[in-house]
Amino acid sequence: MKRKVLLIYTGGTIGMEKDYETGSLRAFDFGNIFEKMPEMKLMECEVFVHPFAQPLDSSDMGPEEWRMIANLVSDNYKKYDGFLILHGTDTMSYTASALSFMLKGLKKPVILTGSQLPIGDLRTDAKENLLTSLYYASLYEQNEAVIQEVAIYFEYKLLRGNRTLKYSAEYFDAYSSPNYPILGQSGVHLKIEKDNLFRCDEKIEFHVDEHISEDVLFWRIFPGMKLNHFKEIPKMKVLILQVFGSGTIFSSENTLKTLQQIKNNGTEIVVVSQCISGGISFGKYENSNIFVKIGAISGRDMTAEAAITKAMHLIGNSNYKGSFADNFSRNICGEISESGD
């Protein structure tokens, strides 16, 4: 039996081709993808294409588009065995992270991919990324999907979506998952690391929770930064601070006073690390104890992308019981390691 995969084209470099008269890149009609890539017809799955009416640069992707994609998956969930989302690379990790929180009870593969070079380029990485992603999106064993989570496939590696970050704008190997091992790797054989795969509670029926709040602010701390500016910013529900190392910030009475005032005004403060690898560990250094004093929330080893989208999903979401802090600290869909603070 051939598995059915719905390919959702949102935009991005992967869907571009060069106009040889002008030398500029332009989007091509993705309805003609089978002419552009006839090898897709040789695959052991049936591919159905749903392009966005207006392809978007990934910098224009946000909550509205995340909801569109989530609802497209939901509306077609029973009809297809897997889903492949073609997406621009710059914000793919944000979309993958957001979808991982929105798609509840997911028991089918949702794979995102894109490319560094357009599909029409001679040296493109688009074709390999697209074809291998289709394999992963249609991979079943004993009538059960092998991948049952939101993942990114890029340059021979399958990664958990909410653990990824884009670390290179130049190399084909553009994504990394610094705090979680790969889910699979493509070579002569298609490998899967089954022990690394996420499985949701079997009792949860698939559904979409499309709640996303935009009342989040992300701020990177830097040496010499004047925290007095914080008093001038509008009140928000969540302030995510990206701090030094394992959770340190400059220690001063003004730092404590300013952050405490923000917290007292009803803003939750989440702390994530500027380091790509590793995470937050309150109490490891004296200069992290300030966050314990004010009751800040440790982001532990979450990526900035996951922390931002998780906060957006949890703020004011009546589908979650308990406090924001308790829910944020909980591992919802593999975005945070079980061990830690």
Side-chain angles (χ1 to χ4, degrees), residues 12-184:
T13 300
I14 195 169
M16 299 288 182
E17 62 182 355
K18 184 173 286 187
D19 184 325
Y20 287 101
E21 290 185 7
T22 64
S24 301
L25 293 176
R26 58 176 172 80
F28 74 87
D29 181 0
F30 229 85
N32 297 327
I33 185 62
F34 295 102
E35 296 176 15
K36 182 69 66 175
M37 290 184 59
E39 52 266 57
M40 286 175 62
K41 297 178 182 178
L42 304 176
M43 299 197 66
E44 296 178 0
C45 62
E46 292 184 75
V47 183
F48 301 82
V49 180
H50 181 102
F52 271 23
Q54 182 64 47
L56 295 174
D57 186 276
S58 70
S59 60
D60 287 321
M61 298 287 286
E64 181 180 347
E65 289 72 32
W66 300 342
R67 294 187 188 99
M68 286 173 58
I69 296 170
N71 286 314
L72 269 172
V73 172
S74 179
D75 293 344
N76 292 281
Y77 190 74
K78 293 181 179 179
K79 188 175 178 181
Y80 296 97
D81 301 293
F83 300 86
L84 173 58
I85 300 161
L86 302 187
H87 195 288
T89 60
D90 287 343
T91 64
M92 192 188 301
S93 290
Y94 288 93
T95 298
S97 296
L99 290 175
S100 73
F101 300 119
M102 298 167 76
L103 301 175
K104 305 297 188 186
L106 185 63
K107 298 176 182 68
K108 294 182 178 181
V110 175
I111 313 295
L112 287 85
T113 196
S115 65
Q116 295 285 64
L117 289 176
I119 202 167
D121 236 43
L122 287 175
R123 295 181 53 250
T124 186
D125 55 330
K127 292 186 177 182
E128 195 282 322
N129 285 348
L130 196 159
L131 291 173
T132 306
S133 292
L134 284 173
Y135 274 110
Y136 279 120
S138 59
L139 190 60
Y140 274 66
E141 290 180 359
Q142 298 179 341
N143 210 35
E144 180 181 82
V146 175
I147 312 298
Q148 298 185 18
E149 59 182 288
V150 180
I152 286 179
Y153 177 79
F154 219 87
E155 189 65 8
Y156 308 117
K157 293 183 297 185
L158 184 70
L159 309 170
R160 176 164 297 160
N162 57 35
R163 290 290 193 144
T164 63
L165 54 88
K166 182 181 179 182
Y167 76 95
S168 176
E170 179 180 1
Y171 299 115
F172 287 151
D173 186 14
Y175 285 85
S176 68
S177 175
N179 291 322
Y180 196 78
I182 64 173
L183 306 183

Side-chain angles (χ1 to χ4, degrees), residues 79-298:
K79 188 175 178 181
Y80 296 97
D81 301 293
F83 300 86
L84 173 58
I85 300 161
L86 302 187
H87 195 288
T89 60
D90 287 343
T91 64
M92 192 188 301
S93 290
Y94 288 93
T95 298
S97 296
L99 290 175
S100 73
F101 300 119
M102 298 167 76
L103 301 175
K104 305 297 188 186
L106 185 63
K107 298 176 182 68
K108 294 182 178 181
V110 175
I111 313 295
L112 287 85
T113 196
S115 65
Q116 295 285 64
L117 289 176
I119 202 167
D121 236 43
L122 287 175
R123 295 181 53 250
T124 186
D125 55 330
K127 292 186 177 182
E128 195 282 322
N129 285 348
L130 196 159
L131 291 173
T132 306
S133 292
L134 284 173
Y135 274 110
Y136 279 120
S138 59
L139 190 60
Y140 274 66
E141 290 180 359
Q142 298 179 341
N143 210 35
E144 180 181 82
V146 175
I147 312 298
Q148 298 185 18
E149 59 182 288
V150 180
I152 286 179
Y153 177 79
F154 219 87
E155 189 65 8
Y156 308 117
K157 293 183 297 185
L158 184 70
L159 309 170
R160 176 164 297 160
N162 57 35
R163 290 290 193 144
T164 63
L165 54 88
K166 182 181 179 182
Y167 76 95
S168 176
E170 179 180 1
Y171 299 115
F172 287 151
D173 186 14
Y175 285 85
S176 68
S177 175
N179 291 322
Y180 196 78
I182 64 173
L183 306 183
Q185 193 155 13
S186 170
V188 175
H189 302 287
L190 211 61
K191 293 184 179 180
I192 291 289
E193 303 295 337
K194 292 188 176 181
D195 290 343
N196 299 338
L197 298 175
F198 180 78
R199 289 292 185 269
C200 68
D201 187 339
E202 284 291 327
K203 298 176 185 176
I204 302 176
E205 292 291 326
F206 173 77
H207 65 284
V208 171
D209 180 350
E210 62 175 36
H211 181 92
I212 293 286
S213 168
E214 296 173 38
D215 204 0
V216 177
L217 184 64
F218 182 88
W219 212 300
R220 183 181 175 98
I221 299 298
F222 58 87
M225 183 177 183
K226 302 299 182 185
L227 291 188
N228 291 335
H229 296 322
F230 279 15
K231 299 174 183 177
E232 301 173 16
I233 60 178
K235 179 180 175 182
M236 76 298 296
K237 296 288 187 182
V238 176
L239 171 64
I240 300 176
L241 296 179
Q242 192 179 43
V243 302
F244 312 125
S246 58
T248 61
I249 193 171
F250 24 84
S251 63
S252 69
E253 190 60 35
N254 185 56
T255 302
L256 176 61
K257 182 180 178 181
T258 302
L259 295 180
Q260 188 67 69
Q261 181 180 329
I262 292 171
K263 188 77 166 55
N264 292 345
N265 286 339
T267 297
E268 295 284 2
I269 296 177
V270 173
V271 181
V272 297
S273 177
Q274 295 177 14
C275 296
I276 291 176
S277 179
I280 298 298
S281 181
F282 290 158
K284 185 175 181 180
Y285 295 99
E286 179 66 27
N287 279 34
S288 67
N289 288 333
I290 188 172
F291 296 119
V292 178
K293 291 177 182 177
I294 67 170
I297 304 165
S298 171

